[in-house]
Amino acid sequence: MNMIELKNINKIYEDNTVALKNINLVIRKGEFIFLVGPSGSGKSTFIKLLIKEIDESNGNIYIAERNICNLKSSRISQLRRNIGCVFQDYKLLSNKTVFENVAFALEVIGKPVYEIKIRVPQVLKLVGLYNKLNSYPHQLSAGEQQRVSVARAFVNRPPILLADEPTGNLDPGTAEGIMKILSRINLIGTTVLMATHDRNIVNSMRRRVIELEEGEIIRDQKRGVYGD
Amino acid sequence: MVRTRYFFSETFTSLKRNFFMGFTAITTVAITLFIVGVFAVIVYDIQGITSSIKSQVELRVYLKDEISEELKEYIEQAIIGWKETESVEYVSKDMALERFKKQMEGSDILKEIEGNPLPASFDITLNNPEKIDQAELRFYDRDGNFIEGVDDVIYERKVVKPLFAITAIIGTISFLIIIALLLAAIVLIFNTIRLSIYARRKEIEVMKLVGATNWFVRIPFLFEGFFEGFAGSIISIILLYFICNFLLIKGERAIADIMRIKELAIVGSGNVMLYVYLGVLVLGGLIGILSSIIALRRYVKV
């Protein structure tokens, strides 16, 4: 099944900067993809389009073979429940514990308590933080905080996981830990799309690499490397 | 269940966090609605008083002593025939003297009266006191003189006209004050909601990211606004209750005794105060929800 498909996508911002130019792309279920390219090449725009944080200027986007371009605002929340997101700055809530931060993602989409009590410990085991359930974010290292963020993105078992520079603030050793978790999540069948600058990670993983430059795809390579 | 508990806990966390702003907003709503309530009572009473005075307004037509029985009969029939006439009473010279004696009982003036200088009259009560000018004109002929047999026409113009004006002015002023206060209350609640949206912007961002619906994001803020409006209105009802039952009620008792007016807000038989309390409650809730909706529309986008 085609999990993500973009047809002739263009994105021009209101100040007339062209962020994406004529993007055509198919990502199949279960793929692991690196989206690489320098700052300003359109990686973040790409991710924002997929979760409809912004709208495309023209073209069509299909998620799980359904066109999301003309979604009503009430449907956008449904779309986002099927796409987990991880960011460089973690976006954790500082007044909530690790458990509460992850549970929050389920609470706000109306999951019942018993389900939350089962799923949250499960996913925290997956990211290796089961022993830190009651810690607050400021008591955790940067790597641990990012793992909480991954747990939150994945706790609802979305078929797609998007990660925007998830290792951007981490040292190489810690980044490797995050990559192991993302690989594990991918192995379960989740489609993972990760935007990154991190040459070493891309080169060591040998997955499909899509390279953007000035809003255009200049390379799409199976088992690729970061580039020159 | 989960959701209800979630919404309540979110609402109260937020109220605690913004305690001072929330307190200010609640106080403003309380004061505003209290004044609204007091004005409602006052306006209701003034209306009762004026309508009672209006119904007491009558036109008195003095007749010349030498008027013939036929002409008197003719005029009386004519008055009865007008559409603005509620009732008409003939007061003969003797009756007028009796009335005068009663009013002036014990006064020295009575000793100086010789014979009966008082004229006979028709006392006309009008069904619509505002038509008093029109009724008066019927006693003039084309040249501006009184018609035959009529000596003079009087009514209490000096009292009636200013009374209407004062009622209108009090109504307008209280309306303007109430509008200004309501706006102040709305702005204050709007501000508390705006602040708590700002305080929770990270949570809102995460909620949207993981797919919470718009309503799920909005409801805690609607609760918060509603709570502030509602709490304010409860306080104002308590204040109103004490002010009305210990202070205003004395004034109303005096008015009821002296002027024999039954249609008053507190001592009257109608459940006027119940409606005032109910109105204040509804208004409080509406102010709260309305302010939150405005704040959410401006600050929480999809």
Side-chain angles (χ1 to χ4, degrees), chain A:
Chain A
M1 183 168 74
N2 294 341
M3 211 58 192
I4 301 171
E5 186 173 0
L6 281 72
K7 281 186 179 165
N8 306 317
I9 282 293
N10 287 287
K11 176 64 190 176
I12 300 157
Y13 284 107
E14 275 146 27
D15 60 357
N16 286 327
T17 42
V18 180
L20 290 174
K21 260 186 274 180
N22 199 30
I23 302 287
N24 284 287
L25 182 66
V26 174
I27 295 172
R28 295 190 58 78
K29 184 175 185 301
E31 278 195 271
F32 193 117
I33 284 149
F34 287 114
L35 193 60
V36 301
S39 300
S41 57
K43 302 194 297 292
S44 291
T45 301
F46 189 102
I47 283 177
K48 284 177 185 163
L49 282 177
L50 295 181
I51 56 172
K52 280 205 89 65
E53 199 178 315
I54 54 173
D55 288 326
E56 63 289 329
S57 303
N58 51 53
N60 286 300
I61 300 174
Y62 302 83
I63 300 286
E65 299 180 345
R66 272 160 85 187
N67 195 331
I68 63 159
C69 287
N70 295 312
L71 279 188
K72 279 188 285 178
S73 66
S74 57
R75 290 264 141 214
I76 291 175
S77 56
Q78 292 300 324
L79 170 75
R80 289 180 187 162
R81 290 177 193 194
N82 289 308
I83 303 178
C85 277
V86 179
F87 295 93
Q88 187 170 2
D89 58 356
Y90 326 131
K91 297 193 195 296
L92 298 179
L93 302 173
S94 56
N95 58 339
K96 291 187 192 292
T97 63
V98 168
F99 182 92
E100 288 165 348
N101 261 289
V102 179
F104 186 69
L106 293 177
E107 276 168 13
V108 301
I109 59 171
K111 293 284 185 205
V113 175
Y114 69 87
E115 203 177 323
I116 293 173
K117 280 183 178 159
I118 296 168
R119 285 206 188 192
V120 175
Q122 263 178 6
V123 78
L124 285 172
K125 263 178 211 159
L126 178 79
V127 300
L129 280 179
Y130 188 64
N131 54 344
K132 303 242 166 156
L133 284 182
N134 297 315
S135 304
Y136 285 89
H138 68 269
Q139 297 168 321
L140 303 176
S141 69
E144 287 169 333
Q145 290 187 45
Q146 189 58 293
R147 281 193 270 162
V148 177
S149 161
V150 173
R152 183 180 62 196
F154 193 62
V155 67
N156 193 34
R157 295 292 176 109
I160 298 173
L161 189 78
L162 304 179
D164 194 358
E165 308 269 6
T167 58
N169 286 342
L170 307 177
D171 61 74
T174 316
E176 201 182 314
I178 297 291
M179 292 317 297
K180 273 189 185 145
I181 295 166
L182 291 182
S183 303
R184 217 177 293 161
I185 287 172
N186 175 240
L187 273 177
I188 308 171
T190 314
T191 308
V192 179
L193 176 76
M194 170 169 160
T196 186
H197 279 311
D198 198 322
R199 174 183 299 268
N200 293 336
I201 286 174
V202 176
N203 290 345
S204 66
M205 300 263 299
R206 287 287 177 151
R207 302 295 187 118
R208 180 175 169 189
V209 174
I210 295 168
E211 185 170 357
L212 288 173
E213 198 178 284
E214 292 180 355
E216 285 181 289
I217 295 179
I218 57 165
R219 180 163 62 102
D220 184 349
Q221 196 176 14
K222 274 186 186 174
R223 305 186 63 76
V225 292
Y226 190 84
D228 326 308

Side-chain angles (χ1 to χ4, degrees), chain B residues 29-221:
Chain B
V29 174
I31 293 170
T32 306
L33 293 178
F34 171 70
I35 293 173
V36 170
V38 170
F39 272 130
V41 171
I42 290 174
V43 167
Y44 187 86
D45 285 357
I46 287 179
Q47 232 145 38
I49 295 167
T50 46
S51 74
S52 147
I53 291 174
K54 275 180 192 169
S55 69
Q56 287 165 6
V57 167
E58 54 178 24
L59 206 58
R60 187 170 292 172
V61 182
Y62 289 117
L63 303 174
K64 288 185 171 147
D65 285 356
E66 65 274 15
I67 187 169
S68 68
E69 275 304 310
E70 292 85 36
L71 185 54
K72 201 182 75 189
E73 189 73 18
Y74 175 79
I75 292 175
E76 182 166 16
Q77 287 309 316
I79 294 170
I80 291 169
W82 300 338
K83 57 184 185 301
E84 62 265 30
T85 307
E86 175 78 32
S87 65
V88 56
E89 188 193 355
Y90 175 67
V91 181
S92 69
K93 282 176 69 76
D94 293 344
M95 287 156 74
L97 187 62
E98 279 302 305
R99 194 157 65 179
F100 185 70
K101 279 180 178 168
K102 229 179 208 171
Q103 279 172 358
M104 295 293 163
E105 224 175 302
S107 162
D108 289 340
I109 290 181
L110 293 177
K111 291 173 192 158
E112 290 171 23
I113 294 176
E114 288 173 25
N116 186 355
L118 296 174
S121 67
F122 285 120
D123 291 357
I124 308 164
T125 308
L126 300 172
N127 52 22
N128 182 354
E130 282 161 47
K131 285 193 180 147
I132 207 155
D133 292 330
Q134 196 182 325
E136 187 192 10
L137 276 178
R138 292 183 186 268
F139 295 99
Y140 290 89
D141 62 18
R142 276 187 210 142
D143 302 329
N145 301 313
F146 289 116
I147 56 170
E148 205 186 332
V150 172
D151 192 35
D152 199 0
V153 178
I154 62 159
Y155 63 91
E156 292 175 66
R157 185 203 292 268
K158 287 194 181 97
V159 183
V160 178
K161 282 282 162 73
L163 198 66
F164 291 150
I166 288 170
T167 319
I169 290 169
I170 290 178
T172 315
I173 290 176
S174 45
F175 181 73
L176 290 177
I177 292 176
I178 287 170
I179 293 291
L181 287 169
L182 285 178
L183 282 178
I186 288 174
V187 168
L188 270 165
I189 297 184
F190 167 84
N191 238 326
T192 60
I193 302 302
R194 192 175 61 96
L195 279 183
S196 64
I197 289 172
Y198 183 77
R200 297 182 51 203
R201 64 196 180 286
K202 278 191 83 173
E203 272 163 78
I204 293 173
E205 187 190 0
V206 172
M207 285 164 97
K208 287 181 178 171
L209 206 61
V210 299
T213 58
N214 275 333
W215 278 111
F216 200 93
V217 176
R218 286 174 185 158
I219 280 175
F221 298 108

